[in-house]
Amino acid sequence: MILPKEILKKYWGFSEFRPLQEEIITAALEQKDVIALLPTGGGKSICFQIPAIAKEGICLVISPLIALMQDQVESLTQKGIKAISIKSGSTQDEIITLFDNIKFGGTKFLYISPERLQSFFIQQKIKELNINLIAIDEAHCISEWGHDFRPSYRNIKVLRELKPDVNFIALTATANEKVLKDISINLDLKKPQLFKKSFYRENLAYQIFTIEDKLQRLLQIFTKTKVPAIIYVNSRKKTEQIAAFLNANNFKSSFYHGGLSSVEKNIAFENWMTEKTPIIVATNAFGMGIDKANVGLVIHLDIPSSIENYVQETGRAGRNNKKSFAVLLYNKSDALLFKDRLERTLLTIKEIKEIHKKLYQFFQISLGELIEEPFPFNLLEFCKKYNFSVLKVDTALKILSNNGIIEISSHYNKKSTLQFIVNSKTVLNYLDNNPIIKKFTNSILRTYAGLFEQEVNIDEFFIAKKAAITTNLVVSNFERLQKDNIIEYKAVKNEADLTFLLPREDDYTINRFSREMKQFISQKKQKSDDLIQFINNDTICRSIQVLSYFDEIKTEKCGICDVCISENRKSTANLASEIIELLKNKQPLSSSEISESLVANEKDILIHLRQLLTDDKIKINHQNKYQLNL
């Protein structure tokens, strides 16, 4: 057997393991069941990949996210390690071929979703394989108390019957004591060894600032702080807007979101890794496989969805053990928007039943019927047809997927493209001779820029909505223009593939899972409440609050979070005189410039500025700056 450190050096290029990795690998190699709780950046994947490589046979990996599976398969393949996953919508014949290739093709890793384990056919195929280790990634999903409970995870223990002599390793980055206990019980683990790394990060300063002008504060932060940074926002459009704003102010940045093509994602990622653009603005799609040690700053411009997500995302800072910052910029309107969005995504069982039934109707599936082939699915088109809220349908799809009722594979990065392959003069002549398509074509030219220079991503549904015509007519018009050699049109027919895993039984299906669904909705609301409480609690050290949430007891304050700094800051009694002294020694200053110069809370500074104005000790000049009233 090859030694773990030799495998680490050969495939990953490291000479030493991170804390707890070697102990976890040793336990796995000794055929023991293991639970590994390693916060973000702890290197969980290596803990099952190395023992699997060291032994004869195949490692079966259960993972909840298709994108995560694809990412790990690609990463292993690039290292020369054969890994494979069962693609969404694969037919039975394709799966038979795939398992034959696994058996005889030297495959070391098979990644599957927990939903796949519900298939008796898949179970029998797994039984035929020489499995050397079973790894359960994101194991907190097995618990009703986890932040992303998936009832399908409860079916994983069927592998105990299929492979009674194979040991399990369950891995998670976020779990409290209750969740860890659930993992052990529901996986039927045999005297599991628990390896738990503390969530305490002595070098990470959690700092939450209540502020109205977030963009101005961003400029202040990056003027002072010259380290690689991640800025998290909650929409794709916002990633592009914030990156453009920073670049316009001479701070090199790029953006990253789920709607980019693989090439665009790789370029953005590489530019950030090499620090060609040391700042990256991203949605939470930016997370998998990030291992950049010198990230010194993670900023949340929008409220994350839970404390677990917040800790995972901020945990990408300071992996080199140098002081780093987790900054959340927050204001009252954020809280209102957050609560409003939550209300608009929370569903009743009645609403889930209605959306579930309409999905079958949308694809004309009869009661009792099950069609196992994937269907092309356009979320916006479905919502428009039945007048559903996009946010609610999106949540319903997640709930139905988590409960093993459907499987949905997203293809948002695949967009149709369009390019005019003749010059503008030729287009004008063509339209004069084809007036029936003139208005449509002119609308396209007004909507999208650069169509004569390059291929441009387009959205047929958006075009149809804008032109008040059907999507089919949009496609038909493009096909006509292409036939007449005016454009090059590369169509992508769907945003996602949707596969039904259960026959249509309408309310009966949902009733079977209603308890789990209610639990999911209740947990989502509770976790949102916990997060808002954490943000608003400015009396207890942030680090102590985080540790308490994950059932760690620590009474020593971190000394570097916003709460600790506020407590340690000298009394503001002398703040008025400090402001006057500052204005004596400098030219007129804005409130933000005064805040930069003084070690004091911005809110306290503004209060003292107002009082000094009232007392006629200072005044505001025509540039809206403060100066002494001489």
Side-chain angles (χ1 to χ4, degrees):
M1 185 177 76
I2 311 172
L3 293 174
K5 277 195 176 179
E6 291 176 10
I7 297 171
L8 181 71
K9 184 67 176 174
K10 180 180 177 180
Y11 293 108
W12 281 270
F14 301 128
S15 301
E16 297 295 330
F17 286 105
R18 291 179 186 172
L20 292 184
Q21 281 183 333
E22 193 165 15
E23 294 93 323
I24 293 167
I25 290 165
T26 300
L29 287 170
E30 291 173 352
Q31 298 294 109
K32 293 174 181 173
D33 284 344
V34 172
I35 299 175
L37 172 57
L38 298 178
T40 303
K44 294 185 295 298
S45 300
I46 277 177
C47 294
F48 68 82
Q49 288 169 346
I50 286 182
I53 292 168
K55 297 195 289 185
E56 285 292 321
I58 298 157
C59 177
L60 180 64
V61 187
I62 314 299
S63 180
L65 297 172
I66 291 170
L68 184 59
M69 286 193 269
Q70 290 170 341
D71 184 72
Q72 292 203 7
V73 167
E74 188 177 322
S75 176
L76 288 165
T77 303
Q78 287 172 353
K79 290 177 174 66
I81 302 164
K82 198 160 184 182
I84 200 165
S85 64
I86 303 175
K87 291 179 182 175
S88 173
S90 296
T91 64
Q92 187 160 309
D93 286 344
E94 287 170 337
I95 291 171
I96 290 170
T97 303
L98 181 138
F99 272 92
D100 285 343
N101 290 336
I102 291 170
K103 268 194 276 189
F104 307 112
T107 299
K108 286 301 296 180
F109 294 90
L110 169 60
Y111 284 78
I112 67 171
S113 68
E115 286 77 22
R116 286 283 182 187
L117 284 178
Q118 294 185 73
S119 162
F120 179 74
F121 171 69
I122 295 286
Q123 290 175 17
Q124 293 308 113
K125 285 294 175 186
I126 288 171
K127 198 171 182 179
E128 296 170 10
L129 298 178
N130 176 25
I131 304 291
N132 65 18
L133 181 65
I134 295 170
I136 299 94
D137 207 2
E138 308 294 340
H140 58 269
C141 294
I142 205 167
S143 172
E144 290 183 359
W145 304 102
H147 69 284
D148 202 5
F149 173 52
R150 291 178 72 132
S152 54
Y153 259 65
R154 297 283 175 89
N155 300 322
I156 294 173
K157 66 180 176 185
V158 71
L159 293 169
R160 274 290 181 215
E161 300 166 25
L162 299 174
K163 295 289 177 181
D165 299 325
V166 178
N167 58 314
F168 281 38
I169 177 169
L171 309 110
T172 180
T174 49
N176 56 24
E177 294 297 330
K178 191 179 287 187
V179 173
L180 291 173
K181 187 177 178 182
D182 267 3
I183 290 170
S184 179
I185 292 170
N186 287 300
L187 286 176
D188 196 18
L189 300 183
K190 303 167 186 173
K191 296 180 181 176
Q193 287 202 314
L194 173 63
F195 296 91
K196 182 178 176 182
K197 188 179 178 184
S198 172
F199 283 88
Y200 180 56
R201 296 283 304 279
E202 64 179 358
N203 64 315
L204 183 58
Y206 296 109
Q207 298 188 341
I208 297 175
F209 299 112
T210 303
I211 188 166
E212 293 302 321
D213 192 345
K214 295 184 183 183
L215 295 181
Q216 182 60 36
R217 178 53 68 92
L218 275 186
L219 298 183
Q220 290 174 12
I221 289 170
F222 289 117
T223 298
K224 285 182 178 181
T225 312
K226 309 293 183 184
V227 292
I230 306 171
I231 302 173
Y232 281 109
V233 294
N234 63 10
S235 77
R236 295 174 179 183
K237 187 176 181 181
K238 207 166 180 179
T239 63
E240 301 179 24
Q241 291 172 336
I242 299 298
F245 169 77
L246 290 170
N247 284 317
N249 284 276
N250 300 314
F251 296 107
K252 293 179 181 178
S253 62
S254 52
F255 60 87
Y256 186 107
H257 58 69
L260 300 178
S261 67
S262 297
V263 173
E264 289 169 323
K265 285 179 181 176
N266 288 337
I267 291 170
F269 182 74
E270 284 304 314
N271 284 345
W272 180 70
M273 286 294 288
T274 58
E275 294 174 30
K276 184 178 177 181
T277 54
I279 304 167
I280 192 161
V281 189
T283 60
N284 59 9
F286 187 67
M288 293 180 297
I290 295 174
D291 192 11
K292 186 170 172 61
N294 67 336
V295 176
L297 178 63
V298 172
I299 299 174
H300 282 87
L301 277 189
D302 295 311
I303 301 174
S305 57
S306 67
I307 292 176
E308 286 91 345
N309 282 28
Y310 174 71
V311 169
Q312 277 192 331
E313 288 159 13
T314 57
R316 294 178 181 119
R319 295 186 183 179
N320 56 2
N321 294 319
K322 292 184 179 179
K323 187 177 180 182
S324 53
F325 298 88
V327 176
L328 192 154
L329 301 180
Y330 170 80
N331 56 43
K332 288 181 181 177
S333 63
D334 287 335
L336 293 173
L337 287 169
F338 182 78
K339 288 176 182 176
D340 178 61
R341 185 179 177 86
L342 178 66
E343 289 301 320
R344 286 188 289 125
T345 58
L346 287 177
L347 293 158
T348 62
I349 294 297
K350 184 179 178 182
E351 287 173 315
I352 295 171
K353 285 181 176 179
E354 185 63 16
I355 292 168
H356 170 247
K357 185 164 72 174
K358 293 298 187 207
L359 279 172
Y360 285 96
Q361 288 182 11
F362 189 63
F363 295 109
Q364 298 180 343
I365 296 172
S366 306
L367 278 168
E369 187 179 12
L370 174 62
I371 299 174
E372 296 186 36
E373 297 298 315
F375 290 92
F377 181 68
N378 185 302
L379 175 65
L380 295 176
E381 198 172 338
F382 175 76
C383 293
K384 185 182 179 186
K385 180 168 183 176
Y386 297 110
N387 197 27
F388 286 139
S389 152
V390 173
L391 285 173
K392 287 203 171 187
V393 170
D394 197 48
T395 304
L397 291 173
K398 184 175 183 181
I399 291 172
L400 294 172
S401 176
N402 286 356
N403 285 276
I405 297 167
I406 64 168
E407 183 177 81
I408 188 154
S409 172
S410 186
H411 297 306
Y412 293 112
N413 60 327
K414 294 181 180 178
K415 298 289 184 185
S416 297
T417 61
L418 181 70
Q419 182 177 5
F420 279 78
I421 55 177
V422 294
N423 60 38
S424 56
K425 187 177 179 182
T426 305
V427 172
L428 291 173
N429 289 334
Y430 171 82
L431 294 179
D432 285 340
N433 293 320
N434 296 273
I436 195 167
I437 206 168
K438 186 173 184 177
K439 184 180 177 183
F440 171 81
T441 307
N442 285 334
S443 174
I444 297 298
L445 290 167
R446 285 193 299 270
T447 303
Y448 296 99
L451 286 166
F452 288 98
E453 291 80 35
Q454 61 188 3
E455 288 185 352
V456 174
N457 289 342
I458 60 165
D459 184 334
E460 290 90 343
F461 182 76
F462 171 74
I463 294 167
K465 193 174 179 183
K466 188 174 180 183
I469 58 177
T470 65
T471 306
N472 287 339
L473 184 53
V474 170
V475 173
S476 178
N477 286 341
F478 283 147
E479 288 173 347
R480 177 177 174 175
L481 288 166
Q482 181 159 263
K483 185 181 177 184
D484 293 340
N485 294 315
I486 300 298
I487 64 168
E488 178 71 26
Y489 171 54
K490 297 177 183 174
V492 171
K493 299 294 184 185
N494 57 297
E495 287 182 350
D497 287 333
L498 190 150
T499 306
F500 292 97
L501 301 176
L502 297 175
R504 179 179 175 181
E505 293 176 305
D506 291 352
D507 288 2
Y508 175 73
T509 300
I510 304 302
N511 288 341
R512 282 164 54 198
F513 298 99
S514 62
R515 190 183 75 85
E516 289 87 354
M517 290 177 179
K518 286 175 183 174
Q519 180 70 41
F520 175 89
I521 294 162
S522 172
Q523 283 289 93
K524 190 172 182 180
K525 188 173 187 314
Q526 182 60 53
K527 289 187 180 298
S528 299
D529 291 343
D530 290 342
L531 180 70
I532 294 298
Q533 185 179 349
F534 166 71
I535 290 171
N536 288 328
N537 188 343
D538 58 2
T539 60
I540 299 173
C541 165
R542 299 287 179 195
S543 187
I544 288 176
Q545 288 187 62
V546 166
L547 294 172
S548 173
Y549 184 82
F550 290 107
D551 296 322
E552 284 191 51
I553 298 170
K554 188 175 184 298
T555 55
E556 185 185 345
K557 296 176 182 178
C558 72
I560 56 175
C561 72
D562 61 296
V563 177
C564 290
I565 289 172
S566 181
E567 286 179 358
N568 296 336
R569 192 176 283 126
K570 57 189 172 183
S571 168
T572 61
N574 298 320
L575 194 51
S577 59
E578 284 187 34
I579 292 170
I580 289 171
E581 282 301 313
L582 184 66
L583 293 175
K584 275 183 187 177
N585 298 325
K586 292 194 175 186
Q587 296 295 320
L589 300 172
S590 67
S591 61
S592 58
E593 288 170 332
I594 293 169
S595 296
E596 283 182 40
S597 301
L598 298 178
V599 182
N601 188 290
E602 186 177 22
K603 188 177 175 182
D604 292 332
I605 290 171
L606 291 173
I607 291 169
H608 282 75
L609 283 171
R610 283 197 292 270
Q611 187 59 50
L612 288 169
L613 284 170
T614 304
D615 295 342
D616 287 330
K617 291 182 180 178
I618 62 172
K619 63 182 179 180
I620 299 176
N621 67 15
H622 64 283
Q623 295 177 308
N624 205 30
K625 292 190 174 186
Y626 296 91
Q627 64 183 60
L628 291 178
N629 194 3
L630 301 173

